[in-house]
Amino acid sequence: MLMREDSHGDLRTRSIRAAFWTSASSFFDFALRMGSIAVTARLIIPEHFGLFMMVTVVTGLIDQIRELGLSSATVQRKSLSHAEASNLFWISVSMGLGLAVLLLSASPLIALYYREPRLICLSASLSINTLLGGLLIQHQALLTRKLRMGSTAAVRLLSSVLSTGLCIWLAALGHGYWALVAREISRTLIVVSGVWLCLPWIPSLPNRNVSVMPFLKFGGNLTITHVILNLCGGLDRFLLGRLFGAAPVATYRQAYQVVTTPNDQLLSPVYQVVYPTLSRLQTEPQRFRRYFGQLLMMVGVVTMPLSLFVAVFSSEVTLFLLGARWVDSAPVVRLLCISTFVKQCAGCSFFVLLSTGRTRAYRNLNLLNQTISLVGVLSGVWWGPIGLAIADVSVTYLMFYPRVYFALRGSPFTVGDYFSTLKRPFITSCVMGAALVILRTLLQDGTASNTVNVLVAGTGAALFAGSAWIIQPGGLAEIKSLFDVFKASARRKVVA
């Protein structure tokens, strides 16, 4: 028996509405995340942040293995029965339990590798998160499949508020890295509870007569890819922790969070809507092309100006967000911003591969990219955080065109479309960046506080970017088009 599916006719309206509500909640979540970073960075010493981050290398890898790509497989599938969803649920639960036991058993080995006995209890505690995660995967995927992003966003916002409050309270009491552990476990527990309440779907017992091999085949390619991504993405902490200890790990990773958190938070609700929507449009080339073009434009508008703003004012932004004890992160922030200027735009092209079921190409392209990244990390880690940041920039620009070309090859959206779409955000960002360099020189000659300088710079960046956008041909028409889209969403009408 097939699970009930929403009608396809109003897909555009529902996807826009889903993005609208999740975007609204994301702004609150973004403010909360940035506030949390600012507060906890002043309450918890870098060494304790580093200890926690060294363990998350392992837990992040385990989370990807536990997922098995089944969440994406559930969303991408054109039809799904109750029995298939139930079998996938029990597979996820079994993987969560097994990997939780594995992490618990491996805790002494993790501590031995880093030569840090405090990691035994820290790693063992985070195994609870692995167990809870197995209960989340299928329900969350079903909500995404139905484009019920408002429910998911509300749950995640509530979990962020409560878990962040708990973390800050424990950090203020002097519990250090245990405050970070409590935040992760409580957040997952609240999300699991909330998602189950939003979707009171009860799985049936496993049915051997119902095959889920197509899901496992689809998810297998994703799992291999995501495991490699996490191995390479966590290799910086893995090697830095071993070679230099906990503090340099925190220096690099906090800089990384300062750079990536704004982009991730602002674009996360968009990405949640894009994958299921593109998956349903895979047989309609013209709608697929138009929808992906809107996604790419949005990614460019968000990431390019924001990256240049933080790059120009890296020292001021680092001091504003993290405090004086994190000044060593400022040069790393500046370098990583050069990378993020194009990284998200290149990465979003992979939605084309995933939404059309080309997971093998997705896997192979990521294997190539991560092989180059591995060489970069192994070359740069000997120079500490700065070396890793330079390696990240080098790999990003070396692989930019190959990632875009092979991801879009054979799709309705051509490479020419890609660069034409990004032309306006690119010009806008460059004009804004040049103006910000002049503004920073003027601000440095004054006596205003760092906070005032950051606020003035942010206001100036918005004005410079807006002006640069409008003076370009078609700029006002583009703004009007975006306004019409949101107005139609609010009135629940279909935009032609």
Side-chain angles (χ1 to χ4, degrees):
M1 178 180 177
L2 293 177
M3 299 184 69
R4 179 182 178 275
E5 299 288 352
D6 298 318
S7 63
H8 184 70
D10 63 341
L11 176 61
R12 179 178 173 83
T13 299
R14 288 185 291 110
S15 63
I16 292 173
R17 194 180 307 137
F20 175 80
W21 287 114
T22 48
S23 295
S25 66
S26 183
F27 280 115
F28 289 103
D29 195 31
F30 168 69
L32 183 66
R33 284 287 300 275
M34 299 308 293
S36 174
I37 290 174
V39 175
T40 55
R42 290 165 170 82
L43 294 175
I44 302 174
I45 62 175
E47 181 188 9
H48 282 200
F49 268 105
L51 291 171
F52 177 77
M53 292 170 179
M54 288 190 292
V55 175
T56 57
V57 176
V58 181
T59 58
L61 178 62
I62 286 178
D63 286 345
Q64 291 301 327
I65 297 174
R66 180 198 64 209
E67 168 100 13
L68 288 177
L70 298 183
S71 177
S72 296
T74 297
V75 174
Q76 196 271 343
R77 190 78 169 177
K78 290 185 178 180
S79 62
L80 179 71
S81 70
H82 177 80
E84 288 172 332
S86 298
N87 281 357
L88 294 174
F89 170 82
W90 291 114
I91 290 172
S92 298
V93 170
S94 300
M95 287 298 297
L97 176 60
L99 291 171
V101 173
L102 178 62
L103 178 58
L104 183 63
S105 304
S107 296
L109 297 178
I110 295 173
L112 180 64
Y113 170 79
Y114 285 117
R115 294 169 292 192
E116 178 52 73
R118 288 176 289 181
L119 297 184
I120 296 177
C121 292
L122 202 159
S123 303
S125 299
L126 287 174
S127 65
I128 299 173
N129 238 25
T130 302
L131 177 62
L132 291 172
L135 297 169
L136 175 65
I137 294 172
Q138 196 59 24
H139 281 71
Q140 186 168 259
L142 291 174
L143 281 173
T144 301
R145 181 181 175 85
K146 293 174 177 293
L147 289 175
R148 290 180 55 186
M149 307 307 178
S151 300
T152 304
V155 169
R156 292 199 172 276
L157 182 59
L158 177 63
S159 69
S160 295
V161 171
L162 297 179
S163 61
T164 298
L166 176 62
C167 176
I168 292 174
W169 177 58
L170 292 175
L173 293 177
H175 291 289
Y177 56 79
W178 286 114
L180 302 174
V181 172
R183 180 184 64 189
E184 296 306 304
I185 296 175
S186 62
R187 177 186 295 156
T188 304
L189 179 60
I190 296 168
V191 170
V192 171
S193 302
V195 166
W196 274 68
L197 287 173
C198 291
L199 185 71
W201 170 75
I202 304 299
S204 58
L205 293 175
N207 188 339
R208 293 184 179 181
N209 296 322
V210 176
S211 174
V212 291
M213 285 305 299
F215 296 89
L216 294 174
K217 182 178 179 181
F218 180 95
N221 286 324
L222 288 184
T223 299
I224 293 171
T225 302
H226 291 161
V227 166
I228 293 172
L229 286 172
N230 272 271
L231 277 172
C232 295
L235 191 63
D236 50 10
R237 286 165 284 171
F238 197 68
L239 295 177
L240 272 179
R242 174 72 178 184
L243 295 174
F244 300 104
V249 173
T251 297
Y252 181 75
R253 292 303 296 185
Q254 283 289 66
Y256 192 85
Q257 288 190 10
V258 167
V259 173
T260 60
T261 296
N263 289 332
D264 290 344
Q265 287 294 116
L266 293 174
L267 292 174
S268 176
V270 177
Y271 288 160
Q272 290 179 48
V273 176
V274 165
Y275 180 48
T277 304
L278 284 178
S279 295
R280 298 189 184 191
L281 295 178
Q282 58 185 294
T283 58
E284 303 179 48
Q286 292 303 318
R287 293 183 69 193
F288 186 101
R289 179 175 179 269
R290 183 169 62 252
Y291 191 90
F292 184 76
Q294 292 172 344
L295 163 68
L296 184 61
M297 173 68 76
M298 189 175 298
V299 172
V301 166
V302 171
T303 61
M304 287 183 165
L306 188 58
S307 296
L308 282 189
F309 165 69
V310 178
V312 174
F313 286 90
S314 57
S315 297
E316 292 82 357
V317 170
T318 302
L319 183 61
F320 175 74
L321 288 177
L322 303 180
R325 66 172 57 160
W326 296 91
V327 290
D328 291 341
S329 294
V332 182
V333 168
R334 185 178 302 112
L335 287 168
L336 291 177
C337 282
I338 299 173
S339 178
T340 57
F341 183 73
V342 298
K343 183 176 286 187
Q344 290 272 9
C345 294
C348 77
S349 63
F350 283 177
F351 280 113
V352 174
L353 293 176
L354 291 176
S355 61
T356 54
R358 295 160 58 197
T359 55
R360 179 175 296 180
Y362 176 73
R363 179 196 64 192
N364 293 339
L365 189 53
N366 270 292
L367 278 173
L368 173 62
N369 185 70
Q370 294 310 315
T371 299
I372 304 298
S373 297
L374 179 62
V375 174
V377 170
L378 292 175
S379 302
V381 70
W382 303 101
W383 286 269
I386 293 293
L388 285 173
I390 293 174
D392 186 85
V393 174
S394 302
V395 171
T396 296
Y397 283 90
L398 179 65
M399 288 299 300
F400 175 67
Y401 186 80
R403 290 175 72 184
V404 172
Y405 175 79
F406 287 107
L408 299 181
R409 186 174 59 173
S411 76
F413 200 86
T414 67
V415 175
D417 294 333
Y418 181 92
F419 287 105
S420 176
T421 302
L422 288 180
K423 179 180 178 182
R424 191 189 304 277
F426 176 80
I427 294 175
T428 298
S429 302
C430 290
V431 172
M432 181 207 72
L436 287 179
V437 171
I438 299 173
L439 177 62
R440 186 172 188 269
T441 303
L442 297 175
L443 291 176
Q444 284 182 326
D445 294 336
T447 57
S449 67
N450 183 72
T451 300
V452 172
N453 286 343
V454 170
L455 294 176
V456 170
T459 303
L463 292 174
F464 296 146
S467 300
W469 184 281
I470 290 174
I471 62 175
Q472 296 178 67
L476 283 174
E478 191 74 41
I479 293 177
K480 184 179 183 300
S481 176
L482 291 174
F483 176 76
D484 289 341
V485 167
F486 280 106
K487 184 172 65 173
S489 175
R491 293 179 179 178
R492 301 191 174 190
K493 293 182 180 178
V494 178
V495 180

